[in-house]
Amino acid sequence: MEAEILIVAAFDHESDQAVQVAWKVAEKLRKDYGIWVMVRIDQVWIHDPIKINELKIPQVYVNGKLFFAGRAPREGDLINAVMTMLWRNELEKMTAPAATLVNQPVFMDAVPVTSME
């Protein structure tokens, strides 16, 4: 399994901490569970602390979904976010259709459904 953590960071302590936590989580998930986590960093060139606060930087995305904004996550919280997104992706792959279209009189009015939500 694979996951991606994207950090939108500025030049401040909170962003540095978010990057360090992401690296620790990536290492831990690879060693403990065999999950490969790619950590990407998009650096924003803002030096004004008020602007950084307004934009809620750092922002931490897991597989494209925003989980943390304006603060660095704790290790346990980021691990939970990664595992939640992986579990959700695996669950979507495993869902069975609710009905099937078969050329038998009993199922003539059935409509195929691709996923249950």
Side-chain angles (χ1 to χ4, degrees):
M1 285 199 254
E2 295 178 358
E4 178 186 68
I5 298 173
L6 169 65
I7 302 170
V8 178
F11 294 100
D12 64 338
H13 174 70
E14 201 72 23
S15 295
D16 291 342
Q17 190 175 355
V19 170
Q20 290 176 1
V21 168
W23 280 110
K24 287 179 186 176
V25 165
E27 252 180 45
K28 181 175 179 67
L29 289 174
R30 185 184 54 79
K31 286 180 183 176
D32 294 350
Y33 303 106
I35 298 170
W36 288 92
V37 179
M38 180 172 62
V39 177
R40 287 185 34 219
I41 303 165
D42 284 349
Q43 194 74 40
V44 178
W45 290 80
I46 299 174
H47 297 287
D48 183 12
I50 295 172
K51 276 285 191 200
I52 290 172
N53 228 7
E54 287 175 4
L55 296 173
K56 296 192 185 295
I57 293 177
Q59 296 175 354
V60 180
Y61 294 82
V62 178
N63 287 353
K65 183 176 180 182
L66 178 64
F67 273 88
F68 307 97
R71 66 175 180 86
R74 294 184 305 214
E75 282 185 45
D77 293 339
L78 188 55
I79 288 172
N80 287 340
V82 171
M83 296 303 264
T84 298
M85 290 305 289
L86 290 175
W87 176 78
R88 183 175 166 198
N89 290 343
E90 288 300 312
L91 186 63
E92 286 174 358
K93 290 178 189 175
M94 294 181 352
T95 56
T100 56
L101 186 59
V102 179
N103 290 329
Q104 294 179 358
V106 177
F107 294 104
M108 279 299 200
D109 295 330
V111 177
V113 177
T114 56
S115 66
M116 295 174 59
E117 290 187 15

